Structures are given as C-alpha cells and as structure tokens.
C-alpha cells in the first residue's frame, strides 16, 4: 500500500502527457484516501526493519501530514504540474539521500513557477548538498555546523529571503507552487534539524532559528505591504507565516535539546495547525483569487475594486479566507499565534531580567508580525473587494457558477474543521508529533491530543476555539433578536456620498482615483512607526554622501602614496634592508 | 451525574452573566460620555452632558438608515456582536461565571481588536476619500499596537503562572501575590494605552469613518465603540484592583449574595477612577494630535516594566 501511494503520486507527476484532465484530480484523491487510511490505522509494529527498496520507499508517520496537505492542494487545485507531485514525492521519503535529490530537483521547478527567486536556487542546492553530507556521518562538530546549510535550504524552498522588494522582477503572484514549496521547506527543516541528526542540535541553534524566523517573517510582511497586486500581497503573507513556522521549528529544536518533550510537542502541534488550518485558508484564497482574476481581469490593487457588490459570493469567500489567515480570535491564525505565544512562554529562561529580555523582544516581534498580517489583509480587502471599481474591466465582473466555487469552499470548510475541532487533525498527525517530541514506548496521557481544547505547553491555560465561536454566535443571535424585536426601520439605499465633489466627468466614469483610499495609504500609515520617513531618508543620504567623500579622499591619498613610493622605490628598499638588519641585530643581542 | 446544586448554581450563574452584560451595556455610553464631559470641563469648553452618547445612540436607532454599500449592512451588527462577546468575557463584579474558562487575555484583546477592525472595514466599503483615509490611519495604528498584547500575556503568565483572566485575577487576590500586584498595575496602564480608542485624534477619526452611516447601523456602531472602551476599562480596573471583585468561597460555586452590591459599587468606582485618570492624561500629557507613536512607545514601556518589576523584587530579595 505504501508503495502504491508513492507510485500514484509518481504517475501523477508524469501524467499530464497522456491522461485525461480529470485523471490528475482522481490521482490526488486516491493519494489522499490512502494517506488518510495510513493516518487512521494504528501505527504498526516498527520493530521489523524492512530491507532494500521497500525500506527506501516507506512513508513513515512524520511524512504523512505533509503528504496529506499536498494531496489536498492537488485535489482542490486540479493543477497538472510536476511541482506538487515532486514535492509530495520528496516529503514522502524518509531517506536523507532521496530527500536531498528531490529537494534539489524541486528548486528549479519552483523557480520556473516564480515561487523562488533566481539567486537562491544555487544557494539552496548547495545548502541541501552540504546538509546531507553533514548528516551522513556522526561527530559532534557536524551538529554544530548543520543548522546553517539546513536553514539556507529550507528558506530557499520556502521562498523566504531578506530582500525587501516585491516587484515583478522579484517574485511571482501566489500560486499552488508557493504552498508546495512552503510545505517542502518546512518538512526539510523538521527532518534535518530534529529527525535525522543522531543527537539533539544545541539549544543555541533553537534561539538562533527563532531570531532568523522572526526577521524573515517581518521582511516578508514588509513585502506584502509594499506589493502592488493581490497575488504578491498573498505571497508576502504566506512568507510571513513561513517565517513564523521556522520560529516554531526553532522551539521544537530547543525542546529536544533541553529534553522538554511537552514543549517540543506543543510547538509541533502549532506547526501542524499552521500547515493545516492556515495552509488550507491560503489554498482557499489562492483558488478564489484565480476565480476573481478570470472574472475581473487584473488583480492590481490600483485597477480592481468594488467586487463586494459585483461578485458578492466570491468576495465573501475571499474575506473569510483572509480572516482565517489573520491572527484574530475565531480563526486558525489565532489558534496558531496563541500556541506560539504560550510555547515561547514555556521556554526555559536564564535567571533574572537579562534572561527575560530576548523572550520579551521575540514576543513583541511575534505581535508585530500578527499586526502587519492584519494590515496587509485589510489593505488587500479594501483595494480589491471594498470601494468602487476602478476600471471598466473590473466593473464588468460577475460571480462564477456555483460549482466553480466548490473547491475553495471545501478548503475553507476543512480549515474551519481543523481549527474548531483541533483534535481530529492532531489525532491524524499524532505519530509525527510523538516522533518529533522523542516519545517512545508508552505515551503519557498529557501527550494525547484533546478533541476540542488546545493546551498551553507551559500549563498557562487552555484555548477552546469552538467555545469562542459559540460565544460569538450567541452574541450575534442576541443582536439579531434585538433588532427583530425592535421592528424594522426601512433603510433607503443611496449612492455613496461624494463629499461635496462634483459628479465625475464622462471621461472618468469611476471617479477620481486620487480621491479614493488606495493601496499606498496603508503602507504609508506605518511610516511614523519606522522613525519618520523623510528625516531618516535625509540622514541616510547625508551618511552616503559622507562615505563617498571620505572614499574619494582616501583614494586620492592612496594614489599619491603609491606614486611617491614608486618614485623613491630604490631608497625605500635600502631603508627596509637597513631597518631589517638593525632589528635582527637587536634580536640577537 | 449532574446534581441539583450544580444545576441551580449554573442557572444563577447565567442570571449573573445576564446582569453583568446589561450593566456593561448600560454603562458603556455613560463611560464615554463621562470622558467627553470631563475633557470639556477640564479643557474649559462648553458643558457637555454625560448622557450625550445615550441620546445620540437612541436618536440614531429611531431614524431612517442610509446605506451606501452592502458591507455597511452587516458590519455594524458583527461589530456589536463581537464587542458583546468580549464584554461577556471580562469580569466586572463577580468571578467564576459560566464561560469564564474561555476568557484568556490574548482572546479578549483579539476580540476587542476585531471589534475595532470591523467598523474600519465598513468605513472603507463606500470608497469615499475621507472615511477611507481615516480608516487607513486607524488600521495602521491598530496593527502597530498588536506588539503590546503578547508582552502583556508574558507579564501576566510570569507574575502568576496563568494566562486565563479568571485564574489570573484569583491569583492576584491572594494575600501574597509575590510582586504581582505592582506588575498588574503597570500592565493595566499598558493595556489602557494600547487598547481603547481614547487618543487625541480618535474622536474626529471615528466621526470621519461613520460619515456614510446612519440609522440603526450607526447606532450599533456607536454602541460597539462604547462597549469596547468599557471592556478595556473594566479589564484594566480588574487588574489594578482585583480586591473589589466578588469571588466564590472555597468549596462553593457562587459568591455570597451579600457581597454582590459592594462588588458592583467597587466596579463603578474603578471605572469612574480610570475615566478620571484618562481625562487627566489626555488634558495634561497627550495634548498633541500626533500621539500614536508616543502611545505605542509608552504602552511597550509599561508592558516591559510590568515584567521588570517582577525581577527587580527577586533581585532585591
């Protein structure tokens, strides 16, 4: 059966040449059913080592969650691309060498879809190769060096980098390939840093991963805020969650290094919820954006707009998907952020105030990332869905047929179920969690997932996502009942108030674009947070000018010095000989 | 087996929860009215009655609505429901009500942020410049303030070991909370600086945002704003002075009936005191209109101080 799963996936990667289009979906459906069956069945006796090719092709418990998510992505999108199949094959193997080959082959595929910038493909391949070579032997120094290439490779696969720009030259609009790269990179980080090393990677590297993940997340959120079209905003937001995922991997590493299995388990559960709840919400948003692009043309934030009135169902779905991606209470993002904050608080700290300061800084950073994600989502929503249409093409958009929205709706439903009843998804991935936490033999009752509750690893509280939803539902029902009891006051629909402006001239039927809230306002609203744009820029220019002038002066001095030395070369050589002889004589005496 | 005593305790708890909600809704516009009246009085402006907000909400609810976009139909009701849910989670005069297990510091702050975010979306829906610009500024400030809430949770968990509000307040009521008292007070100040919309430009911005709304939607939006404010004020008051809350004795499921009126009076006194503090701070400290950055810095400072105080005690001892 295990071999069958892999062969179905492999066939699916090769199929577009000769199969009917529906075959891809059917293949992914079969893969999903088989993977689900493997996850539902109790883990078999792993004591019998399989030999030869069977051992190489075995899909173990740690691969299953990643394969499941990729199968859902393939089934929902129905895309016939080798990227998804390649990623599924890569994450499905538990052999370091096969994994490295798969990851190195995946990078150019991702590059061809624009999910990964060109410059990092080479670095990522080198990172994969070096990390695999380091994993091949045993030795203390290998574990000290290992995280650097593994981190480079994981960041390359996830499309994370420190570049702040988000234009067309730097990245493509979000697609299923981005999600596949994210899942593969996450699998690589977990495998290479936690699963495959012989001993535990040091706790220092856990802290470094937290810092690096936070920085990458902040930069990716900055890209989302600067992007000019909806696809690139979503790509930036996906990068932000990818950075938070690396942070969680850092927490898992720390938990393993300090022998805190519950911390490692809690962080890994947050990672699973991130991949399941948030990842499926991203998938829904990606598919919805594709439908919107079919109906409304360009997804540029300056060109689309007003889709809430034109495509109400699709816009509602996009809004729900974006809500699932933000860290606000009933959503999956909030559950992940809550677990993340509680896991950070469960970290072992050095004594005293100095030990608490890095923790406080990383907590504030996590909060800032959550806030920037909200800001990016509101910016996307307000420019694409709210407001008025800005071009005739966008003004002609209509909702697609209901059947075409079924796939994103199913993804949203899956994401909601994963978050509201987290026990289902955590139970399906229980084997991976126990492997990662290093729990073998009898599992303590605290490590078994609860159906409805998410418990903080440090014992700081319990979160009931379904309770929050029930409370909101009750409050909403109360408000509705009150408004019904009070009787209806008819409201009259009117055109938007133009604030005293004259009616639009005939050559500008959609109103003056300069008099509407556009994408720049949201990005500009944070300028005060960055220390005031203009003075900072002036300071930077002044510094640059000073550095340039100093460089010129130094160059002139150096040139003069070289010319003087060449003119008096003979004298200088004689002087050097004399000095050397004197030093020699002084040394002997 | 559910015993009769547990069932009756549950019913009484639900009644107390309903009383708590009704009190919160009744006092929410009064609190903002008190702020407006206090600021007018301290600033030497014309006298403003405390009931202004209630009158505005009532007259809006009776008027015909004007609706310019579809989102503006549902956003006010959603904002009101979210603010009500947040209010249900913040204990005002009694601890241990049903649903108290849900009340987490991060959850409550997230719900209150959501209740502030929904009106911003409704303001962006018609596509007007004035409401849109005001709303964009509001979203930026809200996003930056998100940095404070994880710090607040950290301070609470480090001081008492609990992130849930009921457990946290119960621990703070202990005779020896171990340095947590001062920390909780600083935390209350940080939350007040970061959470509610009480900054210098916020009134004008809210008026700009609701320029396209009228009728019952406007009334719901105004009430949601006030509910958010009173939820923040009540939470801060609870943290600063948890002694005023009525709490079940050991072994009992509900607090003694005799302690409830005193607890309600204590809540009203806390709320009034905090409103006076806000008025003083607004008039004396935050006079300028460009105060968002200052508020963020101050809130981060107080949240960090709430942790620093814990360790300062340890190192002295």
């Amino acid at each position: 059966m295990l071999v069958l799963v892999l062969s179905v996936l492999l066939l699916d990667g090769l199929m577009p040449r000769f199969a009917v289009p529906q075959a891809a979906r059917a293949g992914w459906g079969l893969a999903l059913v088989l993977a689900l069956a493997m996850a539902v069945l109790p883990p078999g006796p792993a004591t019998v080592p399989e030999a030869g090719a069977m051992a190489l092709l075995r899909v173990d418990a740690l691969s299953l969650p990643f394969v499941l998510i990729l199968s859902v992505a393939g089934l929902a999108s129905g895309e016939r691309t080798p990227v998804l199949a390649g990623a599924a094959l890569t994450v499905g193997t538990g052999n370091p060498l096969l994994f490295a080959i798969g990851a190195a082959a995946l990078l150019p595929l991702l590059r061809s879809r624009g999910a990964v910038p060109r410059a990092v493909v080479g670095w990522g391949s080198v990172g994969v190769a070096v990390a695999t070579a380091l994993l091949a032997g045993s030795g203390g120094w290998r574990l000290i060096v290992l995280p650097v290439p593994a981190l480079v490779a994981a960041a390359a696969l996830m499309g994370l980098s420190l570049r702040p720009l988000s234009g067309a030259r730097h990245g493509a609009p979000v697609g299923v390939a981005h999600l596949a790269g994210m899942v593969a990179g996450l699998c690589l980080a977990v495998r290479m840093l936690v699963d495959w090393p012989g001993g535990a990677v040091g706790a220092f590297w856990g802290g470094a991963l937290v810092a690096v993940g936070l920085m990458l997340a902040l930069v990716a959120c900055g890209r989302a805020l600067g992007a000019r079209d909806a696809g690139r905003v979503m790509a930036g937001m996906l990068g932000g969650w990818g950075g938070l995922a690396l942070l969680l991997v850092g927490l898992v590493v720390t938990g393993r290094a300090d022998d805190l299995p519950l911390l490692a388990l809690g962080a890994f559960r947050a990672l699973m919820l991130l991949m399941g709840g948030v990842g499926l919400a991203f998938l829904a948003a990606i598919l919805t954006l594709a439908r919107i692009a079919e109906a409304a043309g360009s997804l540029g934030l300056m060109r689309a707009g007003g889709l809430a009135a034109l495509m109400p169902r699709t816009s509602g779905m996009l809004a729900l998907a974006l809500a699932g991606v933000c860290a606000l209470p009933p959503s999956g993002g909030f559950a992940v952020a809550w677990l993340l904050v509680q896991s950070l608080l469960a970290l072992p700290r050095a004594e005293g105030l100095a030990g608490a300061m890095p923790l406080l800084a990383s907590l504030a950073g996590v909060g800032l990332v959550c806030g920037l994600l909200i800001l990016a989502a509101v910016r996307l929503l307000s420019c694409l869905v709210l407001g008025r249409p800005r071009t005739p093409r966008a003004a002609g958009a209509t909702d697609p047929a209901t059947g075409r929205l079924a796939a994103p709706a199913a993804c949203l439903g899956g994401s909601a179920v994963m978050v509201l009843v987290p026990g289902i998804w955590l139970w399906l991935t229980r084997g991976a969690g126990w492997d990662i936490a290093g729990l073998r033999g009898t599992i303590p009752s605290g490590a078994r997932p609860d159906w409805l509750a998410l418990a903080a690893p440090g014992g700081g509280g319990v979160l009931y996502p379904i309770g929050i939803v029930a409370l909101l539902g009750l409050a909403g029902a109360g408000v509705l009942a009150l408004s019904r009891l009070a009787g209806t006051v008819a409201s009259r629909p009117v055109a938007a108030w133009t604030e005293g402006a004259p009616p639009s001239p005939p050559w500008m039927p959609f109103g003056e674009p300069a008099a509407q809230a556009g994408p720049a306002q949201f990005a500009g609203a944070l300028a005060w947070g960055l220390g005031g744009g203009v003075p900072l820029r002036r300071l930077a220019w002044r510094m640059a000018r000073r550095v340039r002038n100093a460089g010129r002066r130094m160059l002139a001095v150096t040139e003069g010095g070289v010319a003087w030395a060449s003119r008096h070369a003979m004298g200088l050589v004689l002087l050097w000989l004399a000095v050397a002889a004197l030093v020699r004589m002084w040394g002997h005496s | 087996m559910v015993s009769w005593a547990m069932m009756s305790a549950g019913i009484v708890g639900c009644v107390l929860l309903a009383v708590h909600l009704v009190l919160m809704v009744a006092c929410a516009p009064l609190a903002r009215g008190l702020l407006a009246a206090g600021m007018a009085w301290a600033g030497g402006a014309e006298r403003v009655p405390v009931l202004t907000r209630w009158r505005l909400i009532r007259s809006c609810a009776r008027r015909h609505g004007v609706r310019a976009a579809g989102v503006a139909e549902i956003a006010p009701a959603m904002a009101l429901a979210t603010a009500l849910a947040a209010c249900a989670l913040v204990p005002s005069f009694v601890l241990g009500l049903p649903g108290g297990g849900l009340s987490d510091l991060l959850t409550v702050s997230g719900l209150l942020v959501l209740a502030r975010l929904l009106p911003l979306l409704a303001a962006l829906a018609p596509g007007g410049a004035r409401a849109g610009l005001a709303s964009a500024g509001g979203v930026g400030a809200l996003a930056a303030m998100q940095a404070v809430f994880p710090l607040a949770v950290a301070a609470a968990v480090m001081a008492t070991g609990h992130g849930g509000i009921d457990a946290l307040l119960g621990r703070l009521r202990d005779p020896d909370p171990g340095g947590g008292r001062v920390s909780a007070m600083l935390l209350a100040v940080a939350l007040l600086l970061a959470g509610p919309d009480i900054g210098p430009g916020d009134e004008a911005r809210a008026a700009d945002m609701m320029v396209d709304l009228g009728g019952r939607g406007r009334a719901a939006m105004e009430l949601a704003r006030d509910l958010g404010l009173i939820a923040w004020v009540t939470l801060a008051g609870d943290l600063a002075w948890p002694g005023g809350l009525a709490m079940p004795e050991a072994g009992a499921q509900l607090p003694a009936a005799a302690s409830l009126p005193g607890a309600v009076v204590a809540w009203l006194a806390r709320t009034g005191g905090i409103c006076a503090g806000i008025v003083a701070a607004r008039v004396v400290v935050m006079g300028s209109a460009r105060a968002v950055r200052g508020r963020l810095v101050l809130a981060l400072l107080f949240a960090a101080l709430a942790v620093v105080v814990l360790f300062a005690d340890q190192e002295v001892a």
Side-chain angles (χ1 to χ4, degrees):
Chain A
M1 191 168 71
L2 310 170
V3 182
L4 187 63
V5 175
L6 277 182
S7 52
V8 166
L9 292 172
L10 182 61
L11 270 179
D12 197 70
L14 300 171
M15 227 172 328
R17 296 274 169 79
F18 25 72
V20 287
Q22 284 77 12
R25 278 224 160 110
W28 282 115
L30 188 57
L32 179 63
V33 168
L34 285 175
L36 269 178
M38 286 182 65
V40 168
L41 291 177
T47 48
V48 188
E50 291 156 344
M54 286 302 284
L56 284 183
L57 292 180
R58 191 169 173 276
V59 178
D60 57 0
L62 187 51
S63 300
L64 269 180
F66 302 97
V67 173
L68 271 171
I69 292 293
L70 285 173
S71 311
V72 171
L75 182 63
S77 70
E79 270 193 42
R80 316 178 70 195
T81 131
V83 174
L84 274 174
L89 271 177
T90 306
V91 301
T93 176
N95 182 291
L97 201 61
L98 284 182
F99 192 101
I101 294 172
L106 197 56
L107 275 167
L109 288 180
L110 287 172
R111 163 65 203 149
S112 70
R113 304 291 301 275
V116 163
R118 191 187 308 143
V120 303
V121 173
W123 285 108
S125 309
V126 170
V128 170
V130 173
T132 316
L134 286 172
L135 279 169
S138 60
W141 65 273
R142 291 174 188 260
L143 285 188
I144 297 174
V145 189
L146 172 68
V148 177
L151 191 59
V152 168
L157 275 174
M158 295 164 109
L160 296 174
S161 69
L162 288 176
R163 76 211 145 87
L165 301 177
S166 61
R169 286 171 52 206
H170 303 279
V174 75
V176 186
H178 284 78
L179 199 62
M182 183 70 63
V183 172
L186 209 50
C187 184
L188 183 139
V190 170
R191 286 276 192 191
M192 289 201 167
L193 295 177
V194 186
D195 185 33
W196 285 329
V201 175
F204 163 75
W205 275 112
L209 268 176
V210 168
V212 170
L214 207 53
M215 203 186 305
L216 289 174
L218 279 172
V219 173
C221 287
R223 279 207 298 274
L225 282 178
R228 292 185 184 185
D229 68 309
R232 291 190 175 88
V233 171
M234 287 304 289
M237 291 175 73
L238 189 62
W241 278 111
L244 290 185
L246 276 184
L247 196 160
L248 281 169
V249 174
L251 291 180
V252 174
V253 167
T254 313
R256 282 300 293 270
D258 290 342
D259 203 13
L260 298 165
L262 284 186
L263 171 62
L265 188 61
F268 187 73
R269 281 181 179 168
L271 204 57
M272 286 296 107
L273 275 182
L274 195 159
M275 217 176 60
V278 180
L280 282 194
F282 264 111
L283 187 58
I286 291 168
L287 298 177
T288 315
L289 279 181
R291 305 285 178 272
I292 291 179
E294 284 169 13
S298 164
L299 287 180
L301 298 182
M302 284 302 289
R303 302 184 69 78
L307 297 183
L310 303 169
M311 309 174 70
R313 275 179 291 141
T314 319
S315 314
M317 205 160 281
L318 182 66
L320 281 180
L322 282 175
V325 162
C326 288
L328 283 175
S331 72
F334 178 73
V336 176
W338 189 88
L339 265 180
L340 176 52
V341 167
Q342 299 289 349
S343 307
L344 273 173
L345 286 174
L347 273 182
R349 295 186 289 274
E351 279 299 310
L353 187 58
M357 277 301 155
L359 173 72
L360 293 188
S362 44
L363 278 172
V366 169
L368 196 58
V369 169
C370 291
L372 292 182
L373 283 173
I374 293 175
L375 188 55
V378 171
R379 175 169 177 260
L380 172 57
L381 208 59
S382 75
C383 294
L384 199 62
V385 172
L386 306 177
R388 309 173 201 177
R390 297 190 176 90
T391 52
R393 178 78 173 83
T398 49
D399 256 335
T402 314
R404 304 220 56 212
L405 288 177
C411 290
L412 264 184
S415 158
V417 167
M418 276 185 190
V419 173
L420 294 185
V421 193
I424 298 177
W425 175 236
L426 295 181
W427 183 78
L428 285 178
T429 60
R430 64 199 184 285
W434 295 335
D435 276 0
I436 285 298
L439 297 169
R440 312 252 181 245
T442 52
I443 306 298
S445 63
R448 293 184 185 279
D450 199 342
W451 285 112
L452 294 178
L454 288 171
V462 182
L463 179 74
Y464 297 94
I466 202 165
I468 301 175
V469 172
L471 184 68
L472 282 173
L474 276 179
V479 170
L480 194 66
L482 269 183
S483 81
R484 285 285 157 84
L485 279 180
T488 48
V489 182
S491 65
R492 52 197 168 90
V494 295
W497 171 238
T498 53
E499 291 160 13
S504 305
W507 62 88
M508 202 183 272
F510 304 104
E512 166 68 66
Q516 299 173 14
Q521 265 95 43
F522 293 91
L526 273 194
W528 53 261
L530 300 175
V534 176
L536 199 69
R537 218 174 304 148
R538 259 184 219 149
L539 191 70
W541 273 116
R542 203 176 299 154
M543 291 296 290
R545 212 176 302 135
R546 276 190 194 159
V547 167
R548 199 179 57 191
N549 288 346
R552 271 186 197 154
R553 217 167 292 143
M554 204 137 74
L555 210 63
V557 169
T558 320
E559 273 177 9
V562 168
W564 184 84
S566 58
R567 248 179 279 139
H568 304 94
M570 187 53 79
L572 280 177
V573 168
L574 286 176
L575 188 66
W576 182 75
L577 282 176
V579 169
L582 280 175
V583 168
R584 190 82 188 270
M585 281 161 61
W586 178 63
H588 275 294
S589 62
Chain B
M1 182 70 191
V2 180
S3 69
W4 173 246
M6 280 176 70
M7 213 153 70
S8 62
I11 292 171
V12 175
C14 287
V15 171
L16 280 179
L17 187 62
V19 171
H20 156 74
L21 272 181
V22 168
L23 273 178
M24 288 286 253
V25 172
C27 291
L30 285 184
R32 200 180 279 277
L34 200 63
L35 278 188
M39 263 178 281
W41 174 75
E46 202 175 317
R47 192 174 148 271
V48 177
V50 180
L51 283 176
T52 322
R53 295 285 301 172
W54 258 127
R55 284 183 195 144
L56 172 72
I57 290 172
R58 216 181 48 177
S59 72
C60 277
R62 285 177 178 171
R63 253 182 245 154
H64 278 278
V66 173
R67 106 183 117 84
V71 179
E73 284 279 280
I74 49 170
M78 283 167 68
L80 187 56
T82 315
L84 268 179
C87 279
L89 290 182
V90 178
S92 64
F93 63 96
V94 56
L95 277 181
L97 290 180
L102 289 176
S103 66
D104 186 69
L105 212 49
L106 212 53
T107 309
V108 169
S109 59
L111 280 177
L112 287 171
V113 167
L114 187 61
R116 261 186 83 181
L117 196 63
L118 286 168
L120 298 174
L121 289 183
L124 282 164
R130 203 159 149 194
L133 284 180
S135 173
V139 180
L142 207 56
M145 291 298 174
Q146 291 292 307
V148 178
F149 303 127
L151 280 192
V153 177
V157 171
M158 283 183 191
T160 63
H162 299 287
I165 291 180
D166 274 18
L168 165 69
L169 293 178
R171 177 83 179 81
L172 281 177
R173 280 169 59 98
D174 282 358
D176 175 28
R181 196 70 55 79
V182 183
S183 174
M185 280 189 182
L186 292 171
L187 187 58
V189 178
L191 287 182
L192 272 182
L193 281 168
D197 48 346
I198 48 171
D202 283 340
E203 286 294 328
R205 193 184 284 164
D208 274 353
M209 278 185 335
M210 290 189 233
V211 74
D212 272 338
L213 264 183
R216 196 168 283 164
R218 176 77 180 260
M221 208 79 105
E222 299 277 5
L223 189 58
R225 269 187 76 210
D226 295 352
L227 280 176
L229 173 67
I230 199 148
W232 281 117
V233 167
T234 305
L235 183 59
D238 288 345
L239 286 171
W241 184 35
L245 287 161
M247 201 180 163
E249 297 294 321
Q253 302 204 340
L254 286 171
S259 65
L260 291 182
V264 173
V265 172
W267 171 57
L268 290 176
R270 282 196 305 257
T271 307
I274 289 182
C275 284
I278 292 172
V279 168
R282 275 287 305 276
V283 172
V284 178
V285 186
M286 297 193 295
S288 83
R290 294 175 56 82
V292 182
R293 195 185 337 179
R295 262 171 69 200
L296 174 64
V297 170
L298 275 181
L300 279 175
L301 187 69
F302 273 99
L305 268 180
V307 177
V308 170
V309 163
L310 289 176
F311 289 101
D313 268 15
Q314 282 177 13
E315 276 158 19
V316 168

